[in-house]
Amino acid sequence: MAKTLMVQGTTSDAGKSTLVAGLCRVFARRGMQVAPFKPQNMALNSAVTPCGGEIGRAQALQAIAAKVALNTDFNPILLKPNSDTGAQVIIHGRAISNMEAAKYHDYKKVAMQAVLQSHQRLEAQYELILVEGAGSPAEINLRENDIANMGFACAVDCPVIIVADIDKGGVFAHLVGTLALLSEQEQALVKGFVINRFRGDISLLQSGLDWLEEYTGKPVLGVMPYLHALNLDAEDAVTIENHVVDTQLKVSVLLLPHISNHTDFDSLRLHPNVDLTYVRHEQQIGPTDLIIIPGSKNVLGDMAFVKAQSWQAEITRHLRFGGKLLGVCGGLQMLGQAIYDPEGIESSQKQISALNLAQFTTTLRGNKTLTQVSGQCLLGDAATAIKGYEIHCGISEGKALNRPFIRFTNHPENITQDGFISDDNQIVGTYLHGLFDTPDAANVILAWASDGRVQANAFDLAAHREQQLERLADTCEQHLDIDKLLALASKA
């Protein structure tokens, strides 16, 4: 039976996801079979498992760090917000329904059973389970029926370490306050602290560390330094840092209210010759080579948002002057004539007129497509290998799709093609996520978008991710008491 160790945080973005990813790689390098695990995740960035399930992007990254195949048991409950108060509820990789927050709060008792089932299956398959909490365990209003933090830790009786971000300030108040708001049983499960994102001379922090250990009776298990330019797949927040050496292509991505899988554009954001900008609320798109309309978890609502921003007129002007336009997943659906949601899959709105830039319509259905696929990109002079994944509820039909963007060579549902290329070659639409992550295909797309200015130098995101994970693991080895962490897990 596997050992279990849980990482909780004093706040969101304290570093839980990154720390678990680093520890996954540390223990994988030691030859251990490691499984990442997050009982409940709320995020719009997700990934598709080989079996056709859906999990949070952070758990996919952690699985890569652990060098194991993606598994729906790594993230048994995934919540994908489609409004300020509601979300699609995904259990064991499959969407079961949309729920308002109050209804889901009552549903947590059922959800906990799914969480425990997944944990039990992982216990039988792996040596070590590294669990990531969600947000903070000290959110008083969320404590009842909790399944994401101490509710889970108490249910399986696993040791917990708490991580806090010193870069934002108040680290000792965060740690002591979090511990104080836990019950005695929960406090007993907390075995130590990790301080994250420290800058400067560690000797100046030592008196504070000594006080923290004496005051709480819990050890500080390490102080992680601030890792500048650490680029790993974001779980939720859009990363806008963009390091351009020599701009050869300007790309503008529309920052939709319900944008999903914006990690599609990490390869562009990290490309030394691509100046990528996210166009925000009430901003103009401005001069650019390529406009990208990304995926959306509420495509009808986001289509209305695009119109309200006057972006439709700017897109029309951009195309009139020869610019290129790419729609991905929900963005593809917005390029057509209309979008229908008769079953209320994503919202109460039943239909909306789209941008009318291509002859097809889209109807949302309850049966979500979740597949890893490969095929040939048909955009250039010759077909080029491409691979990625699909996550969508829509079925698109119409004349424009007779000139596809991709011809599939491997699709689990025996679908032969995807997307479209406009007759004037200015507009491309596709359901494929990760389309820039295959370097050869990315070269073709970048050459199309730049009219040939960007040639044969696509950014290799997979190789970069591996480099960053190794860097993170090296830092964990240097600054954390790894043997003590493993010993803590052994006591579970």
Side-chain angles (χ1 to χ4, degrees):
M1 183 171 289
K3 308 175 183 70
T4 299
L5 178 66
M6 188 170 194
V7 176
Q8 296 183 15
T10 57
T11 62
S12 294
D13 198 37
K16 300 182 292 291
S17 298
T18 302
L19 181 58
V20 170
L23 292 175
C24 280
R25 178 54 58 94
V26 166
F27 292 118
R29 294 196 306 197
R30 296 188 177 193
M32 297 183 68
Q33 284 290 311
V34 186
F37 185 69
K38 185 162 186 171
Q40 174 185 288
N41 196 349
M42 177 177 282
L44 287 175
N45 279 348
S46 58
V48 176
T49 67
C51 68
E54 191 173 2
I55 63 173
R57 172 65 55 175
Q59 283 60 66
L61 172 68
Q62 292 158 1
I64 293 170
K67 301 184 178 182
V68 295
L70 274 59
N71 187 329
T72 55
D73 281 332
F74 295 162
N75 178 205
I77 308 294
L78 175 61
L79 307 177
K80 301 186 78 171
N82 49 26
S83 72
D84 289 345
T85 60
Q88 183 182 64
V89 179
I90 297 167
I91 296 185
H92 292 151
R94 297 292 178 182
I96 62 163
S97 69
N98 292 326
M99 291 188 191
E100 292 296 305
K103 181 180 178 182
Y104 179 72
H105 186 71
D106 295 333
Y107 185 78
K108 284 182 180 178
K109 291 180 181 178
V110 178
M112 176 61 100
Q113 297 309 308
V115 167
L116 296 177
Q117 289 168 10
S118 287
H119 183 256
Q120 288 168 3
R121 285 193 289 263
L122 295 178
E123 280 188 311
Q125 299 173 53
Y126 294 89
E127 296 176 72
L128 176 65
I129 302 172
L130 293 174
V131 186
E132 178 189 341
S136 162
E139 303 292 349
I140 302 302
N141 56 309
L142 299 177
R143 295 291 301 277
E144 186 180 358
N145 299 329
D146 170 58
I147 66 174
N149 290 299
M150 282 300 177
F152 169 79
C154 290
V156 301
D157 193 29
C158 74
V160 173
I161 61 172
I162 298 179
V163 59
D165 179 4
I166 195 172
D167 190 55
K168 293 183 176 68
V171 70
F172 298 112
H174 282 169
L175 288 167
V176 172
T178 298
L179 193 65
L181 290 174
L182 302 179
S183 69
E184 289 188 11
Q185 178 191 8
E186 293 166 345
Q187 289 178 2
L189 290 176
V190 177
K191 305 302 181 183
F193 308 117
V194 170
I195 292 177
N196 191 30
R197 300 190 182 110
F198 177 74
R199 311 177 194 233
D201 185 350
I202 191 69
S203 66
L204 299 178
L205 184 64
Q206 191 59 51
S207 61
L209 302 180
D210 294 341
W211 173 88
L212 181 64
E213 291 188 335
E214 182 178 356
Y215 186 85
T216 64
K218 313 283 186 184
V220 176
L221 300 166
V223 178
M224 288 285 286
Y226 192 104
L227 289 175
H228 294 274
L230 180 70
N231 285 297
L232 290 169
D233 311 53
E235 180 173 53
D236 211 8
V238 178
T239 304
I240 60 174
E241 292 181 358
N242 190 22
H243 306 287
V244 186
V245 177
D246 174 24
T247 299
Q248 297 176 15
L249 178 70
K250 289 180 68 67
V251 178
S252 298
V253 180
L254 304 187
L255 189 54
L256 306 174
H258 304 95
I259 186 173
S260 64
N261 290 76
H262 57 73
T263 47
D264 285 340
F265 315 118
D266 282 353
S267 297
L268 298 183
R269 182 177 57 82
L270 296 168
H271 196 296
N273 304 123
V274 175
D275 182 4
L276 184 141
T277 301
Y278 282 95
V279 185
R280 304 183 190 187
H281 174 61
E282 294 186 343
Q283 288 183 335
Q284 292 185 330
I285 296 175
T288 190
D289 297 302
L290 173 65
I291 296 173
I292 298 178
I293 308 177
S296 166
K297 192 63 194 73
N298 184 339
V299 68
L300 280 80
D302 283 350
M303 183 68 256
F305 177 83
V306 168
K307 293 181 177 182
Q309 299 302 303
S310 301
W311 287 344
Q312 184 171 6
E314 293 185 59
I315 289 170
T316 300
R317 184 171 60 250
H318 169 78
L319 292 171
R320 188 167 65 246
F321 285 97
K324 302 296 174 58
L325 176 64
L326 170 66
V328 180
C329 200
L332 158 69
Q333 296 168 356
M334 293 184 199
L335 297 176
Q337 297 160 305
I339 306 166
Y340 303 100
D341 190 2
E343 301 173 27
I345 301 300
E346 293 187 350
S347 71
S348 59
Q349 191 173 357
K350 298 300 182 183
Q351 66 180 68
I352 192 170
S353 59
L355 295 174
N356 199 26
L357 296 172
Q359 290 185 308
F360 71 92
T361 62
T362 299
T363 302
L364 304 188
R365 298 296 185 191
N367 187 20
K368 182 186 286 191
T369 298
L370 292 163
T371 59
Q372 293 183 355
V373 295
S374 58
Q376 295 177 318
C377 171
L378 306 178
L379 187 59
D381 295 331
T384 307
I386 192 169
K387 62 181 180 179
Y389 59 99
E390 292 181 290
I391 303 177
H392 62 91
C393 297
I395 299 173
S396 298
E397 297 174 305
K399 180 180 176 182
L401 306 178
N402 293 334
R403 190 185 179 205
F405 170 63
I406 294 171
R407 181 186 299 116
F408 288 123
T409 54
N410 179 22
H411 195 291
E413 299 178 8
N414 296 319
I415 296 173
T416 59
Q417 62 189 45
D418 167 77
F420 75 95
I421 304 169
S422 64
D423 291 338
D424 61 10
N425 217 42
Q426 282 187 261
I427 306 173
V428 167
T430 179
Y431 275 115
L432 188 73
H433 290 288
L435 69 164
F436 291 105
D437 297 347
T438 306
D440 287 345
N443 284 332
V444 171
I445 301 170
L446 293 176
W448 163 76
S450 66
D451 292 325
R453 293 191 305 277
V454 181
Q455 292 284 346
N457 61 345
F459 189 85
D460 191 335
L461 186 64
H464 177 77
R465 183 187 292 119
E466 276 299 307
Q467 181 188 53
Q468 296 295 293
L469 286 171
E470 287 295 314
R471 175 191 175 200
L472 176 60
D474 289 343
T475 305
C476 289
E477 292 269 20
Q478 182 178 354
H479 294 278
L480 300 179
D481 191 336
I482 299 297
D483 291 336
K484 192 165 187 176
L485 287 170
L486 186 58
L488 287 175
S490 301
K491 294 179 182 179

